[in-house]
Structure formats: C-alpha cells, structure tokens
Amino acid sequence: MPTKLPATDAVVVGLGWAGAIIANELVDEGLDVIGFERGPWRDTAKDFNIASVPDELRYNARQELMLRTAQNTCTMRNDVSQTALPMRSWGSFHPGNGTGGAGNHWAGITFRFQPEDFRLHSHLTERYGRQAVEAANLTLQDWGTDWEEMEPHYASFERVAGISGKAGNLNGTLQEGGNPFEGARSIEYPTPPLKQPYGPTLFAEAAREMGYHPFPVPSALVSEGYTNPLGVTMGPCTFCGFCTNYGCANYSKASAITTVLPALIRKPNFTAKTNCEVLRVTLDPSGTRATGIVYIDASGREWEQPAELVIVAAFTLENARLMLLSGVGEPYDPITQRGTTGRNYAYQTANSVQLFFDDKNFNPFIGAGAVGMGIDEFNNDNFDHTGLGFFGGGSIRVTPIGAAPIANRPVPPGTPTWGKEWKRATVDNYLSTMSIGCEASSYSQRGNYLSLDPNYSDRLGRPLLRMTFDFPENDLRMAQYCTDRVAEIARRMNPRQMVEKPMKGHWNSGPYQSSHVVGGFVMGSDPSVSSVNKYLQVWDVPNLFVVGASAFPQNPGYNPTGTVGALAYKAADAIRRLYLKHPGEMIA
C-alpha cells in the first residue's frame, strides 16, 4: 500500500513544455502545485556544459537524453494480426527523460498549424464532398476548437520561447518574405529570422524561380539576445552543429529548462519531485473525480499524493498509457470502433531528396536543428487534391542540422559500406551534398491505435503500451506525390546526382523518422469519439486534464511542439478563467 501524503491543490505529471507551462500558470494563480518528473533535474550549466555537450557518441549514438528502454518502452506491430514485440532501442522516435523532456533534444522547428487543420474533417467534406472523404478510409476528426481560439495561445507560447521567424500573415495582411499560407497572426515573431546558410539559400532561389514562396523556417533557436515575459534571458544561436539530440550549451534553444523552469522553481508554492515515476491517476469510487496520483520514488517506495486538480502532461505515449492504466475512459476497439482511450494514434511521414554536387561547398558542419528555408505550396490542403487519390501534404524545406562525423557520411548509392572506396567517397561528397526534406502529414485510420500489451510488462509489472500502426495507403500516395514535387525543385538546382526517398512500405520502428507521435487521447466536441474537450478536460472527470500531442486527432505536415505549447496555454487559461471559479464540466 502506498503511503498517503497531505493533499495539495494541483499535481502536474511531466515537466516538459506542457507541464512546465501549466504548472507556472497555476502557481501564478496562487495554487500550491507539485510537479512530478520521471527523470532527473536538468540544468544547462551542469548538464550541457560547452566542454562536454558536443559529444556525438554520447548524445546522438548512445542517446544520453532519451528514456532508457529498460525503464520503460513500448511494443509495436503493424496490424492486429501480428504479435507486438518490444522496442529494445529507440529508433523511429526519441522519448525524452528528465525535466525539459524531449524539448531538450528537439530540433526547434516551431510551426503553427493552419486554420483548416482544426476542422479538417469538416473542411475536406465541404471542399471535396462526403463521398471523397469516406473513400479515403480515414478516421479524420475536427478538434472541437478553431483558429480564433488557438491564435492567442500560439502567441503566448512564441513569446515565452522567443521564436524567431518572419510573419506571413499579420492581422490578415500578407507580409513579404513570410509564409503566405499561415493563419492570420496577431503579432510578429518575438525575434527576427536566423541568418541562412548556403544550402537553404540555394534551395530558396530555385523555389522562387519556380513561382513558389520560400520563407525562413520558424525556429526555437533565438537569433538575438532575448528576455521572455518570465524574465528569463536567452543568447543567440551560434550554429554549432550540435543541436538535434543534444542539449544547448548556449541558452539559445528554447526548452522548458531554458525558458520556464528557471522562473518556476523560484516560486514558493511550487515543488518539483524528480526521479519519481507516476504509476496511475487515482479516482473516487464513482470514477468521475480524480483524487490524485500514486508514484514511486528513486528508492522504490510508493506514495499517494492527493490533489484537487490533476494535470497529466507527459509525452504522448505516456499520456495514453497512464489513462489506460488508470481506467480513464473506455479503451478503443478497432473492430467496433467503440471507446476513445487509444483512438486515432498517428505519426508523421518523412520524405526527402538527396543532392550530390561537384561544384558546391555547403560547409555542412555549420548547422542548427531549426535553421533553414521552406515552402508550403504542397502542405496540408494548400493545393487541389481533386482526383489525386489522397489527402494531406508536407512542409518542404532545407534545414541543415550540422553534419557530425559519426552519423553523417553522405555517399552515392552503390558505394561500399567500408574500406578505401567508402573513405574516398566520404571525402569527395561530405562538403558538396545536401538534402531537401518533406515532413508530411499522417492521417488517422481505424486500425492505428494504442492499447495495453497483454504479453509484456515493465520493471514494475505494469503492461507496456502496445502500438499498432502502419502508414495508410492515403499517406503513401501523398508521400510519393510530394517527393515528386521536391524532385522537381532538386532538378532545378542542377545536381550531379540525386536520390529520391519517399516513404514506402510498412512502418519500421528501426530507423529514426521523427519524434512526432500524436493522438491516443484526442480532443473534440463529441465524447463518443474524443477523450477530452477543447479545454483538454477529460469528459466525465472534470478535475482531470490531459495535455500534449496525445490530443491531436491526426497530424498535419508540421512539427507538433508549437501546438503542444499553445494547447498548454489554452488549458491553463481555461482552468484559471473558468474552472477555478466554477469547478466542473466546462462544456455541458
């Protein structure tokens, strides 16, 4: 039996972006808040010192900042006919560990979703007809919210993170040099765009010549010194090339540990409990009220922490797993399509074209996780899908992350994998190779979902999360179409050789694709097909909020973190403005 502790006003599970933002907002409202983090406390000066952080073996190859699979992992299969097997190393995606979560090692690309994304099913039905949407064999859903509700919260997140970029639509007026496809923004980006390396500049020139509208990729790497509304100061990015999968030694990459937690930890009504893994959310006998959480500390001792308000804001997969382990909602059944817990799991579709030149020097060791130029002409529903046989699209962009020596050995197809010829090809191509990527949508389908595994357990005896996922035919057709468009731009750049890499075949958990796993506890306006309402409040359990990318009903062709941050501010605003004044269901 766990030892019961004195009650507190609120507990927050997870101290990454979403958890840190909500905890800070509730503390400012005067609540006593305890934040729980499964991993250690991370601090830039201690953990990401400039003398040790640019270590490719430690951080990229051995995944220092990722959750240890011995501590917790998941099982995976492509469809229900297969037996799911455990992921014993992180390949396809990288869950973070410790305060800051995956935000410590993320690239920093920070898009807002487009207005149509929040009412995707309705939008596509209105434009193409119900028959065309049904023929796609997808489980697309509206989010239960809209652009007007989301935009102020995007602005709040961008201000606290110091996002660099150029507005493309400011209060309804298109702006030269920005993204013309974005929704109307109320304010400019907090900091100007980053300076662009040669590769993105070359891509932008070719795209512009073809009639497209290139723009600087919005970035959580600040372009100049910046002090956010919480009084935390960041320094400008130095393009060190050690960014994706690394912590930032320069206080340049926005994360919870560089923007929110330094202010939050100094507030007397906040307590952080690290190396403490939450086992479940506790409910009263009726199942309609959360009473707190049960957790285990570093010594293995179990504790019960009662609370009036429970916020679960962990990584997507752990949000869904905690709800399944806690008996919150009805588990989703892909056969009957009943139940909502685990429903609409989705991912991202990664595509690219690699270009080999003879006469270019890209200095690829210069880079950052989120510096580059992109176009949106073939993203989401920005182009006419009539007769194409698919919906969705992708963000086409060149974002050189920094070519570190172990993982980055660009050689043409047919090159031996070792020996003299491989070494010669590496020397010949290292400086003169670049890639154009297309991070594309992943639309939910009936058979993609999350559940508890009946065969495998973690070290504490709890069932592992089972992931059943494969790319829908819709997404594979989209991937080929969008990669063909990327190839057209690549040809315009006149490389010696190019290699097209559209996503094909079944999802494979081995190679890294992105950490953009979404869904499983989705938001909406209909409790029969969603788990939380537009305020991220759990249907029928009004003092429980589940916040994160787990709320996405499907994934558009953008990186998710900006929207996770906006949803965190949206939930916190609703709690402060509505729930605390009248505790209960905020939507009847």
Side-chain angles (χ1 to χ4, degrees):
M1 287 289 292
T3 302
K4 194 169 185 176
L5 296 165
T8 190
D9 293 330
V11 294
V12 175
V13 180
L15 288 175
W17 270 123
I21 287 169
I22 292 179
N24 186 69
E25 292 292 303
L26 298 185
V27 163
D28 283 353
E29 191 63 25
L31 273 62
D32 290 325
V33 178
I34 304 175
F36 289 86
E37 173 54 51
R38 169 168 55 190
W41 183 268
R42 304 278 192 193
D43 180 77
T44 298
K46 173 175 63 71
D47 295 297
F48 306 134
N49 187 278
I50 191 62
S52 60
V53 75
D55 185 334
E56 186 185 5
L57 182 64
R58 177 181 177 184
Y59 289 103
N60 193 58
R62 294 178 176 167
Q63 303 181 343
E64 173 85 7
L65 300 181
M66 316 321 173
L67 178 69
R68 302 292 95 184
T69 54
Q71 183 180 1
N72 191 11
T73 186
C74 56
T75 65
M76 62 80 56
R77 59 183 182 175
N78 290 131
D79 60 63
V80 295
S81 70
Q82 301 172 340
T83 299
L85 297 174
M87 296 176 68
R88 300 190 182 277
S89 62
W90 298 121
S92 184
F93 47 83
H94 294 160
N97 192 40
T99 55
N104 289 334
H105 63 73
W106 72 315
I109 298 172
T110 316
F111 281 101
R112 297 178 173 196
F113 290 176
Q114 294 178 273
E116 294 81 6
D117 293 328
F118 297 108
R119 53 185 308 274
L120 185 65
H121 183 269
S122 295
H123 167 77
L124 294 178
T125 301
E126 291 163 4
R127 184 172 183 183
Y128 302 103
R130 183 175 299 277
Q131 185 175 358
V133 174
E134 290 177 351
N137 197 29
L138 301 168
T139 54
L140 301 176
Q141 296 179 202
D142 293 353
W143 292 52
T145 189
D146 58 26
W147 177 256
E148 286 67 30
E149 289 186 342
M150 290 294 297
E151 198 282 333
H153 305 301
Y154 274 121
S156 294
F157 178 70
E158 289 171 355
R159 282 193 295 266
V160 82
I163 304 300
S164 62
K166 177 71 182 75
N169 184 338
L170 196 55
N171 294 311
T173 302
L174 295 184
Q175 306 292 306
E176 184 68 28
N179 181 1
F181 296 97
E182 73 174 357
R185 305 169 53 89
S186 58
I187 57 171
E188 235 321 341
Y189 283 93
T191 57
L194 291 161
K195 294 180 180 179
Q196 297 298 326
Y198 181 40
T201 301
L202 198 67
F203 162 78
E205 290 173 355
R208 194 174 292 110
E209 290 171 359
M210 297 176 70
Y212 302 137
H213 300 83
F215 57 89
V217 172
S219 176
L221 319 178
V222 296
S223 58
E224 60 187 23
Y226 177 74
T227 300
N228 74 11
L230 303 182
V232 182
T233 298
M234 302 172 66
C237 177
T238 59
F239 305 93
C240 72
F242 294 92
C243 193
T244 304
N245 291 334
Y246 303 84
C248 180
N250 202 46
Y251 296 87
S252 302
K253 181 168 67 173
S255 68
I257 73 165
T258 58
T259 62
V260 181
L261 289 172
L264 175 59
I265 197 64
R266 289 169 169 79
K267 298 178 180 180
N269 49 333
F270 174 72
T271 302
K273 293 193 175 183
T274 55
N275 295 303
C276 291
E277 184 163 1
V278 175
L279 304 181
R280 63 186 181 276
V281 175
T282 55
L283 303 173
D284 70 3
S286 71
T288 61
R289 182 178 179 277
T291 58
I293 55 101
V294 170
Y295 70 96
I296 187 170
D297 66 17
S299 69
R301 187 174 178 182
E302 277 194 33
W303 303 86
E304 179 181 356
Q305 178 58 67
E308 291 296 316
L309 190 59
V310 177
I311 314 294
V312 176
F315 191 61
T316 298
L317 303 179
E318 193 62 11
N319 277 359
R321 183 178 183 231
L322 276 174
M323 294 304 98
L324 289 164
L325 290 170
S326 304
V328 176
E330 179 183 351
Y332 172 72
D333 182 338
I335 306 302
T336 64
Q337 292 190 273
R338 288 181 54 85
T340 61
T341 307
R343 178 187 177 92
N344 274 38
Y345 172 73
Y347 190 32
Q348 200 112 59
T349 313
N351 315 279
S352 66
V353 174
Q354 191 173 27
L355 292 76
F356 297 90
F357 292 90
D358 289 322
D359 58 347
K360 302 287 189 291
N361 180 355
F362 297 110
N363 284 328
F365 51 86
I366 298 171
V371 62
M373 298 291 290
I375 64 169
D376 255 359
E377 272 79 359
F378 300 102
N379 203 355
N380 302 323
D381 196 40
N382 295 343
F383 58 104
D384 189 357
H385 286 76
T386 302
L388 295 179
F390 67 86
F391 294 115
S395 168
I396 297 172
R397 61 207 185 208
V398 173
T399 51
I401 65 172
I406 297 175
N408 290 276
R409 299 283 179 150
V411 294
T415 303
T417 55
W418 64 285
K420 183 193 300 184
E421 292 303 315
W422 172 75
K423 292 178 182 178
R424 180 180 294 115
T426 296
V427 172
D428 290 344
N429 292 282
Y430 178 81
L431 292 173
S432 57
T433 302
M434 61 170 283
S435 290
I436 307 173
C438 179
E439 192 127 59
S441 55
S442 175
Y443 284 166
S444 50
Q445 67 173 354
R446 178 176 183 168
N448 289 342
Y449 71 107
L450 303 173
S451 57
L452 294 178
D453 194 285
N455 301 314
Y456 293 95
S457 301
D458 66 10
R459 73 197 192 287
L460 303 173
R462 301 178 301 164
L464 294 180
L465 185 72
R466 180 175 62 183
M467 181 183 298
T468 305
F469 178 80
D470 209 353
F471 294 112
E473 184 62 32
N474 175 89
D475 293 4
L476 296 177
R477 292 175 182 172
M478 175 275 300
Q480 183 63 62
Y481 178 90
C482 287
T483 305
D484 289 344
R485 306 290 78 75
V486 176
E488 291 171 354
I489 303 172
R491 291 189 192 96
R492 182 85 177 199
M493 298 168 69
N494 197 31
R496 177 189 81 236
Q497 181 180 0
M498 66 184 204
V499 181
E500 300 176 37
K501 301 176 183 178
M503 181 62 68
K504 291 184 177 180
H506 300 292
W507 172 62
N508 180 351
S509 68
Y512 182 74
Q513 293 150 65
S514 81
S515 296
H516 306 160
V517 293
V518 309
F521 208 72
V522 305
M523 61 189 291
S525 58
D526 181 355
S528 70
V529 292
S530 63
S531 298
V532 295
N533 63 28
K534 69 178 182 178
Y535 300 121
L536 292 305
Q537 182 185 40
V538 176
W539 295 110
D540 299 325
V541 191
N543 69 328
L544 174 60
F545 292 74
V546 180
V547 185
S550 54
F552 296 12
Q554 56 272 324
N555 212 9
Y558 285 133
N559 305 57
T561 305
T563 301
V564 170
L567 289 177
Y569 274 109
K570 181 178 176 63
D573 173 71
I575 293 169
R576 297 181 71 171
R577 185 170 48 85
L578 302 172
Y579 178 84
L580 293 177
K581 296 175 182 176
H582 303 285
E585 294 275 3
M586 290 188 286
I587 297 178

